[in-house]
Amino acid sequence: METHKEKILAVCNQICKGTLMETLAIEYIDVGENFLIAKMPVNSRVYQPDGVLHGGATAALAESVGSAASYIFLDGNEFYVRGIEISANHVKSIKEGYVYARAAIIHKGRTTQLWEIKVTNELGELVSNCKLTTIALPKKS
């Protein structure tokens, strides 16, 4: 029998089919009371021309995990979640392996949410520190 956590991760991974998240091979791997974690392989699909992880791919990972976290922690059946601002400070290069993005809530408002997303390598070293602001838009009946 699936646990609540496994169901959440299954939904997150299922909704990635046919999207940028599938193209980048982003996989949601852990969820808790106030966080969501995803991983992404670092390979030629996400390289910049000199063979290291592209900052844009890192930002796409961060926005994906932060937006998915908003969807989970708000009621995704009642709201559309949209990213409205993202910032990323890239502090370390990576050429292979995986990067892990952990989105943790900083502010959970009724309309806007602020997320901190730390992107780390397999050794737990910080690759990028990102902040994402999302907005919850009510679905019309």
Side-chain angles (χ1 to χ4, degrees), residues 8-67:
I8 290 171
L9 293 172
V11 167
C12 287
N13 287 311
Q14 180 59 40
I15 62 175
C16 291
K17 303 289 185 210
T19 68
L20 176 65
M21 287 74 73
E22 183 177 47
T23 300
L24 297 177
I26 294 171
E27 179 185 358
Y28 295 95
I29 60 170
D30 197 11
V31 63
E33 188 174 318
N34 65 349
F35 71 90
L36 178 64
I37 300 174
K39 69 178 185 176
M40 180 178 73
V42 178
N43 55 39
S44 62
R45 289 190 306 196
V46 296
Y47 283 167
Q48 60 186 29
D50 65 351
V52 297
L53 177 61
H54 193 290
T58 306
L61 170 63
E63 185 160 350
S64 297
V65 73
S67 294

Side-chain angles (χ1 to χ4, degrees), residues 8-140:
I8 290 171
L9 293 172
V11 167
C12 287
N13 287 311
Q14 180 59 40
I15 62 175
C16 291
K17 303 289 185 210
T19 68
L20 176 65
M21 287 74 73
E22 183 177 47
T23 300
L24 297 177
I26 294 171
E27 179 185 358
Y28 295 95
I29 60 170
D30 197 11
V31 63
E33 188 174 318
N34 65 349
F35 71 90
L36 178 64
I37 300 174
K39 69 178 185 176
M40 180 178 73
V42 178
N43 55 39
S44 62
R45 289 190 306 196
V46 296
Y47 283 167
Q48 60 186 29
D50 65 351
V52 297
L53 177 61
H54 193 290
T58 306
L61 170 63
E63 185 160 350
S64 297
V65 73
S67 294
S70 281
Y71 179 83
I72 292 167
F73 297 118
L74 300 171
D75 185 347
N77 294 318
E78 291 187 30
F79 297 96
Y80 294 108
V81 173
R82 299 291 183 261
I84 56 174
E85 182 177 12
I86 189 163
S87 65
N89 293 305
H90 308 300
V91 298
K92 185 172 187 68
S93 295
I94 181 171
K95 293 183 176 205
E96 59 186 10
Y98 283 87
V99 285
Y100 298 85
R102 184 185 193 276
I105 191 81
I106 296 172
H107 168 75
K108 184 180 176 185
R110 287 176 299 194
T111 305
T112 60
Q113 304 76 44
L114 180 60
W115 295 91
E116 178 179 55
I117 301 107
K118 291 197 179 291
V119 179
T120 58
N121 63 18
E122 291 174 302
L123 299 175
E125 300 167 328
L126 186 65
V127 173
S128 297
N129 192 45
C130 307
K131 282 198 297 187
L132 172 68
T133 305
T134 56
I135 188 167
L137 303 169
K139 292 182 178 178
K140 307 257 190 273

